[in-house]
Amino acid sequence: MSVPAVTAEWNCTRCGSTNRKLVPADTARARDRCNHCRAWHLVEPDDRPVRWNARLDD
Ligand SMILES: [Zn+2]
């Protein structure tokens, strides 16, 4: 049995690129790197299921 996964979609606060990361459904916080400018971000779920909040994690 596999763990349900959700797509965490977040906007880079540095360059504005949209990034997507597949995470386990019960994830409360994830760390991901922007595909464009390579800046590390902390991403957390918002009220909406797909769009996550992101902030720089330097
Ligand atoms: Zn970026």
Side-chain angles (χ1 to χ4, degrees), residues 6-23 27 29-46 48-58:
V6 295
T7 300
E9 184 181 293
W10 59 276
N11 265 359
C12 179
T13 61
R14 180 177 286 174
C15 74
S17 290
T18 301
N19 293 274
R20 290 175 187 84
K21 182 183 178 69
L22 202 60
V23 297
T27 298
R29 176 182 293 180
R31 198 161 179 265
D32 196 17
R33 200 175 189 185
C34 176
N35 283 322
H36 183 70
C37 72
R38 314 309 292 170
W40 280 105
H41 284 69
L42 282 175
V43 293
E44 295 174 334
D46 199 352
R48 288 169 294 171
V50 173
R51 177 70 68 170
W52 287 35
N53 289 318
R55 54 192 159 93
L56 273 176
D57 182 33
D58 284 328

